[in-house]
Amino acid sequence: MTRLMLSLSALIVLLFGVSLTVGPADVRLGDSLHALFSDDYGPLSLVMQEIRLPRSLLAALIGGGLGLCGAAMQGYLRNPLAEPGLIGVSSSAAFGAVLAINTGIAASATLGLPIAALSGALLGVFLVMTLAGPKGGSLTLILAGIAISAMAGALTSLVLNLSPNPFAANEIVFWMMGSLADRSMTHVFLLLPFLTVGAILVLSLGRGLDALTLGEDAADSLGINLKRLRLILVLGTASIVGGATAVAGAIGFIGLVVPHILRPLVGGQPSRLLWASALGGAVMLQMADIAVRVILPARDLKLGVVTALVGAPLFLHLIYKTRKELA
């Protein structure tokens, strides 16, 4: 376990350095790194400090948050097919962002889009918890999340369908593909409080998730308050996923694929998988963001498209493997 954590941490640092130095401009590695800490390089300093640094930070932070949430959701539901978007927060956040773009709020206010997305996420989690009720179990939570996700998706499609402005519709479509391009330190500072609070809440659930591997009755007999665990899980996941979606748009498959890959390496213990998946998610999203800039630098390939292209085949493999085990 220690070796795995050290390896993932070293890989994060390496990829962070690569991310800082990869871009369309043909600049030497030494000049890029010096420009990051000095204002003497003119436009290059501005590019490094205001464009590449925020993008690299967001890739690591958002990837880590999504990986962490995915491991927590799979541990709580005891299902390797679970992922953070299951409770409908990402769809609700996307709907809030789409409304901001369509109504012009995103264009008139610098933080109009992320704040609208966060408002949608908060509304979504409130509706999910209201529908699930204080005594509802994991199945009720899943059904409530699916219902809210479907409703938010339908409303998003309706707004897109009725949008009178083709430029707004085009911007909505591209935003929903997910991207870290053109983000600034303002977006990093906006994400940090939600990510920090959410990570603290989710990481505190390690003991309860370990007990849940024995079943809900056994966990209850061990003194685990399942209602409190569910509430903390939903709030923590909503905080991270809502913040990530508000800043970067819809980025899928990180929370689904990363815990599945790392689970055999931690012995299947949920508390260990939380930390490992956080580091693994940061690694995967950093690699995807670097690939976006390397594969088609002139075509603005979207980050969510790359993660889907990588994650979908792994997801299909997981379904096939699960079907064979149940046969």
Side-chain angles (χ1 to χ4, degrees):
M1 179 65 185
T2 303
R3 183 178 300 176
L4 173 65
M5 302 292 278
L6 290 175
S7 299
L8 290 172
S9 299
L11 194 53
I12 289 174
V13 174
L14 175 62
L15 290 171
F16 189 83
V18 173
S19 178
L20 284 174
T21 56
V22 170
D26 186 15
V27 183
R28 290 184 300 177
L29 175 62
D31 290 340
S32 296
L33 295 179
H34 281 102
L36 181 64
F37 301 102
S38 173
D39 295 330
D40 299 334
Y41 287 78
L44 181 58
S45 295
L46 185 64
V47 168
M48 292 298 299
Q49 296 171 11
E50 299 297 330
I51 297 178
R52 290 189 184 177
L53 179 60
R55 184 167 185 165
S56 301
L57 287 171
L58 287 172
L61 292 172
I62 292 175
L66 294 178
L68 174 63
C69 291
M73 289 297 296
Q74 291 178 14
Y76 174 71
L77 298 174
R78 287 159 290 163
N79 188 338
L81 301 179
E83 56 99 20
L86 195 63
I87 59 174
V89 178
S90 55
S91 298
S92 302
F95 174 60
V98 165
L99 278 180
I101 295 172
N102 193 60
T103 57
I105 295 175
S108 60
T110 304
L111 296 178
L113 193 149
I115 290 176
L118 285 170
S119 301
L122 291 173
L123 177 61
V125 73
F126 171 76
L127 292 174
V128 166
M129 294 306 297
T130 301
L131 286 173
K135 298 181 180 180
S138 57
L139 179 59
T140 309
L141 179 65
I142 293 173
L143 293 175
I146 291 173
I148 296 302
S149 183
M151 178 61 70
L155 291 173
T156 299
S157 299
L158 179 64
V159 172
L160 186 59
N161 181 213
L162 299 179
S163 176
N165 187 342
F167 297 103
N170 189 57
E171 185 179 354
I172 289 170
V173 171
F174 279 113
W175 183 88
M176 291 179 66
M177 292 181 184
S179 177
L180 294 177
D182 303 322
R183 301 309 191 265
S184 66
M185 291 302 296
T186 302
H187 293 91
V188 176
F189 294 137
L190 179 67
L191 172 67
L192 271 177
F194 293 95
L195 184 70
T196 302
V197 171
I200 292 172
L201 291 175
V202 174
L203 288 171
S204 69
L205 301 176
R207 178 175 173 270
L209 295 177
D210 285 345
L212 269 176
T213 59
L214 304 174
E216 292 189 0
D217 292 336
D220 187 55
S221 66
L222 291 172
I224 303 299
N225 188 331
L226 297 179
K227 295 178 183 177
R228 179 176 176 273
L229 187 148
R230 186 190 67 167
L231 178 61
I232 293 176
L233 173 70
V234 172
L235 292 178
T237 300
S239 181
I240 293 173
V241 175
T245 306
V247 169
I251 298 176
F253 289 98
I254 299 291
L256 173 65
V257 172
V258 172
H260 173 62
I261 293 174
L262 296 176
R263 185 172 287 106
L265 302 179
V266 298
Q269 187 174 346
S271 58
R272 292 183 175 181
L273 187 60
L274 292 177
W275 285 100
S277 295
L279 296 177
V283 169
M284 184 173 179
L285 198 59
Q286 282 181 307
M287 292 176 66
D289 189 49
I290 292 171
V292 165
R293 286 178 273 174
V294 171
I295 296 173
L296 291 172
R299 297 298 299 272
D300 192 23
L301 183 63
K302 296 300 181 182
L303 185 59
V305 175
V306 174
T307 58
L309 287 173
V310 174
L314 292 173
F315 183 49
L316 293 174
H317 170 71
L318 176 58
I319 294 174
Y320 177 73
K321 182 180 177 182
T322 305
R323 189 183 69 179
K324 284 185 66 176
E325 291 174 352
L326 295 175

